[in-house]
Amino acid sequence: RSSDDGEPSGTAGKPIREAILTEAPAAYEGVAVLVTRYKPSTAPLLGAGGLVRAYGTAARLALRELRALATDDDDDAALGLS
């Protein structure tokens, strides 16, 4: 399940979910990815395509980093990026 939570339909949840399906190691169950977007009032608008790229890229990069940090001995792995 995914949610756009106030963003235009299909621009946040869908690209994050796709990143989970393509990037999360198959052995991982119950993977959750949370992406927070901070937008200053002076920032240019991204548009729908920019939002899809931003959310999808953030999720893919986080999942790739998690996969790189995880070892065979890890039962649980958590990653926090800022």
Side-chain angles (χ1 to χ4, degrees):
R1 179 168 184 236
S2 65
S3 171
D4 294 315
D5 195 32
E7 294 287 22
S9 181
T11 61
K14 187 175 179 181
I16 293 170
R17 185 174 188 277
E18 186 62 30
I20 292 171
L21 294 175
T22 59
E23 297 290 340
Y28 286 11
E29 293 182 19
V31 172
V33 175
L34 173 76
V35 177
T36 302
R37 179 172 74 105
Y38 294 98
K39 181 190 171 294
S41 60
T42 58
L45 297 176
L46 295 177
L51 290 171
V52 168
R53 285 188 296 278
Y55 282 110
T57 298
R60 278 192 304 281
L61 291 175
L63 288 163
R64 288 175 186 167
E65 186 69 21
L66 177 64
R67 193 170 54 213
L69 292 173
T71 66
D72 292 342
D73 296 332
D74 287 337
D75 288 333
D76 295 313
L79 173 68
L81 301 173
S82 56

